[in-house]
Amino acid sequence: MNSAGNLVALNTIVRREFVRIMRIWTQTLIPPAITMTLYFVIFGKLIGSRIGQMHGFTYMQYIVPGLVMMSIITNSYGNISSSFFGAKFSRAVEEMLVSPMPNWVILLGYVTGAVTRGLIVGGLVLVIALFFTDLHVAHPLITFLSVLLGATVFSLAGFVNAVFAKKFDDIALVPTFVLTPLTYLGGVFYSVDLLGEPWRSISMVNPILYMVNAFRFGVLGVSDVQIGVAFAVMLVFVAGLSIVALQLLKRGVGLRS
């Protein structure tokens, strides 16, 4: 397939994913918005008023970047894992694999759709946050790149999950037992400087910590980790997961019956 054909195929997958997101917007957009609003009310207003400032910002301002990033990565992950598994369940993936479409086009199409949902939800949560506090983006480019890389990392992770999943229950296992604990230990609600050992050391090997802090630095200008290290970690995960995903597609692991 030539480059023009690849572009048509990529556009078709991305458009289908976008239409899917908007068609079931009551499931893809509204629930995370409601959940994050409750976080803002409970943690930001009620608990935050008793905590005071953190790194020179109100507690509400401090947790907003973490909550936005949390919504982005969970929705990016959830979108691609459910969408690709649904395609695998209906045997649509087999049709794509036997077509002239390159594997990288399939992967990029699904990842782009998942990142799109993550960015839409993240933007929606950010707008909701402005009703509770004032925010001024300190570093717009870092903010955008951290969001893009964070969403890409967990889109790729969701893709790998969908490839290995054998039933719909397998899709929920990783978010429940892996993603949620990593999120709460990723510095969303606190600075890791407040943690004692061994929790601080454990947190430092959590990839979500670097994503949250990169985004927090972009928005507020403060971070618990070096920004260069944070971006290096995200790029390594993007490269590693991309290679794994492409190899799985090439070998047809869990896809061909």
Side-chain angles (χ1 to χ4, degrees):
M1 184 180 286
N2 56 31
S3 58
N6 290 338
L7 189 60
V8 171
L10 177 62
N11 181 63
T12 301
I13 296 175
V14 173
R15 186 173 67 248
R16 185 187 63 194
E17 286 298 292
F18 181 76
V19 170
R20 172 183 172 273
I21 294 169
M22 302 310 296
R23 186 179 68 249
I24 55 174
W25 61 274
T26 54
Q27 302 174 40
T28 57
L29 304 180
I30 299 303
I34 294 175
T35 300
M36 289 302 123
T37 300
L38 294 175
Y39 274 120
F40 289 136
V41 172
I42 296 172
F43 287 93
K45 285 293 184 183
L46 299 181
I47 298 178
S49 61
R50 291 166 173 78
I51 293 177
Q53 291 194 339
M54 189 170 292
H55 288 303
F57 296 92
T58 65
Y59 187 68
M60 175 68 83
Q61 290 174 320
Y62 188 81
I63 67 172
V64 164
L67 289 174
V68 172
M69 181 58 79
M70 183 170 76
S71 66
I72 290 171
I73 62 179
T74 54
N75 282 275
S76 297
Y77 188 100
N79 188 85
I80 196 168
S81 59
S82 61
S83 177
F84 190 77
F85 181 79
K88 188 175 75 168
F89 186 77
S90 64
R91 307 272 179 141
V93 172
E94 294 181 13
E95 297 178 2
M96 288 190 286
L97 290 176
V98 299
S99 73
M101 191 188 315
N103 290 334
W104 68 265
V105 171
I106 299 174
L107 179 63
L108 182 60
Y110 276 97
V111 168
T112 301
V115 170
T116 300
R117 175 178 166 182
L119 294 180
I120 293 174
V121 172
L124 187 60
V125 173
L126 190 59
V127 170
I128 294 173
L130 295 177
F131 287 97
F132 294 91
T133 187
D134 295 325
L135 289 175
H136 302 283
V137 178
H139 307 284
L141 182 59
I142 292 178
T143 300
F144 174 74
L145 290 177
S146 60
V147 165
L148 185 62
L149 287 174
T152 302
V153 168
F154 279 92
S155 295
L156 290 166
F159 184 88
V160 174
N161 181 198
V163 168
F164 284 109
K166 291 182 171 57
K167 53 185 183 297
F168 281 101
D169 289 343
D170 295 337
I171 298 298
L173 285 177
V174 174
T176 302
F177 295 104
V178 179
L179 192 55
T180 299
L182 287 178
T183 300
Y184 284 106
L185 290 173
V188 173
F189 299 102
Y190 56 84
S191 168
V192 292
D193 292 338
L194 300 176
L195 296 178
E197 295 296 341
W199 295 109
R200 190 178 191 282
S201 297
I202 293 174
S203 296
M204 296 306 291
V205 298
N206 181 357
I208 293 181
L209 174 72
Y210 297 92
M211 299 172 193
V212 168
N213 275 278
F215 185 58
R216 182 172 284 140
F217 181 83
V219 176
L220 302 179
V222 297
S223 174
D224 292 331
V225 299
Q226 294 183 2
I227 297 305
V229 174
F231 276 98
V233 168
M234 288 189 283
L235 288 171
V236 167
F237 270 92
V238 168
L241 288 170
S242 295
I243 293 172
V244 170
L246 288 173
Q247 286 298 313
L248 291 174
L249 283 174
K250 181 180 179 180
R251 298 175 182 177
V253 176
L255 302 176
R256 295 188 175 97
S257 58

